[in-house]
Amino acid sequence: MKILITGANGQLGQEMQHLLDERGQEYLAEDSQGLDITDKKAVDAYFEKNKPEVVYHCAAYTAVDKAEGEGKELNWKVNVDGTENIAKACQKVGATLLYVSTDYVFDGNRTSGEYLPDDPKGPRNEYGKAKLAGEEAVQKYCDKYYIIRTAWVYGQWGHNFVYTMLNLAKNHDKLTVVDDQIGRPTWTRTLAEFLTYLVDNKIEYGVYHCCNDGQCSWYEFAKEILKDTDVDVQPVTSDQYPTAAFRPHYSVMKLAKETGFVFPDWKEALDEFLSEVK
């Protein structure tokens, strides 16, 4: 099976490579230098030459706050135009496409329950709007696809909330973290394993949600990250910590347990991750 990973230098792209290396599976992995997904001719030529059978589309613009201003055009170019190019190329060569999306496609107005894959969408920031348009491009131009929505992603490679908290803890005795945004953290290892699980087990094509099980606020997440330190973590409201992009107050998505995949609890996943990076 010929595998292609886009966004090879990103947080998930590197996790995918690590997982496939462990399994002894061969693959092609390209960053933006090796494959500019926004260049349709380059994408078509690459796919015609290499004819991948499975494409883990991890390339994305993820600077959520910058997407509201200076990065708005690039956000759309990468997450929508680039995804459309990949989807059309997959269709031409008959490849299966796995597109990673986000909880930000929902409005985040709920206070309880779980967002189902087919629930109404209502993105309230530019990043969410672009990722939803990317989903629509995948559904429009590609027959064999999986759309996998995730949230609060962290992992060994790249910048993320866990590393931010650990680094801040080195020089601060007290930290404040918002406690009125509720969601599900996701370890990149869990996400990578779910992506390969869908392919390996020939799960029905469609839209799925993947996070670690359970739910928490960013404050509770930070407390768990720093539980073995002396740092005092205090809760604050989102109003006290304004950001350029709207952040949903509630974005708990229903996990795709009907697939047979076992989603580790978020605390267990975090503990395993922290033991590895330490």
Side-chain angles (χ1 to χ4, degrees):
M1 181 166 57
K2 296 189 72 173
I3 296 171
L4 168 63
I5 300 169
T6 69
N9 288 345
Q11 185 167 231
L12 179 57
Q14 292 189 73
E15 187 75 70
M16 288 298 309
Q17 292 174 75
H18 183 68
L19 177 60
L20 296 181
D21 285 341
E22 278 186 8
R23 297 179 176 182
Q25 290 182 266
E26 294 184 359
Y27 57 84
L28 297 168
E30 303 291 356
D31 60 14
S32 59
Q33 300 301 312
L35 178 61
D36 180 359
I37 65 169
T38 67
D39 183 338
K40 187 178 187 306
K41 288 184 179 179
V43 171
D44 288 344
Y46 186 94
F47 273 65
E48 180 60 33
K49 177 183 177 182
N50 295 286
K51 292 185 170 56
E53 297 169 80
V54 174
V55 178
Y56 294 106
H57 184 35
C58 304
Y61 180 89
T62 58
V64 177
D65 288 316
K66 283 187 177 181
E68 296 296 309
E70 63 183 281
K72 186 174 181 178
E73 185 177 339
L74 185 58
N75 169 52
W76 196 267
K77 189 175 181 180
V78 173
N79 291 332
V80 185
D81 299 341
T83 298
E84 180 177 320
N85 292 338
I86 292 292
K88 288 178 175 178
C90 282
Q91 184 70 5
K92 282 184 181 178
V93 300
T96 294
L97 171 59
L98 293 96
Y99 171 68
V100 182
S101 190
T102 172
D103 58 326
Y104 287 0
V105 301
F106 298 111
D107 59 23
N109 286 336
R110 292 185 183 177
T111 56
S112 64
E114 297 174 319
Y115 282 99
L116 305 177
D118 293 332
D119 278 350
K121 314 304 179 292
R124 296 176 63 184
N125 61 38
E126 293 301 320
Y127 173 70
K129 291 173 184 176
K131 293 300 285 186
L132 178 58
E135 289 188 13
E136 292 167 347
V138 169
Q139 293 170 316
K140 181 177 180 179
Y141 296 111
C142 188
D143 292 333
K144 300 194 296 185
Y145 69 82
Y146 297 102
I147 292 170
I148 303 95
R149 299 191 189 115
T150 190
W152 297 22
V153 178
Y154 68 91
Q156 184 172 345
W157 297 276
H159 302 290
N160 57 66
F161 182 75
V162 177
Y163 281 154
T164 297
M165 290 297 104
L166 292 174
N167 288 329
L168 287 173
K170 294 175 183 177
N171 303 306
H172 295 78
D173 296 325
K174 180 179 178 180
L175 295 172
T176 56
V177 183
V178 294
D179 71 340
D180 56 359
Q181 296 174 23
I182 308 298
R184 284 185 155 138
T186 310
W187 183 19
T188 50
R189 176 73 182 201
T190 301
L191 181 54
E193 288 180 342
F194 182 67
L195 295 178
T196 57
Y197 180 91
L198 292 172
V199 174
D200 295 345
N201 291 277
K202 296 181 173 59
I203 302 300
E204 182 180 357
Y205 295 124
V207 183
Y208 297 92
H209 294 161
C210 174
C211 300
N212 285 111
D213 210 349
Q215 64 185 59
C216 62
S217 67
W218 285 108
Y219 162 71
E220 291 169 322
F221 193 14
K223 288 275 287 186
E224 191 68 18
I225 294 165
L226 301 176
K227 65 182 179 181
D228 294 328
T229 73
D230 295 325
V231 177
D232 179 23
V233 184
Q234 291 292 323
V236 294
T237 65
S238 297
D239 292 339
Q240 295 171 274
Y241 191 82
T243 56
F246 172 83
R247 299 301 200 280
H249 287 282
Y250 188 89
S251 62
V252 177
M253 298 185 293
K254 184 173 178 59
L255 303 178
K257 294 181 179 179
E258 73 279 2
T259 62
F261 184 84
V262 178
F263 296 89
D265 177 80
W266 73 269
K267 289 184 179 181
E268 294 172 2
L270 178 62
D271 284 346
E272 189 173 344
F273 168 71
L274 290 174
S275 68
E276 287 187 5
V277 296
K278 286 178 181 177

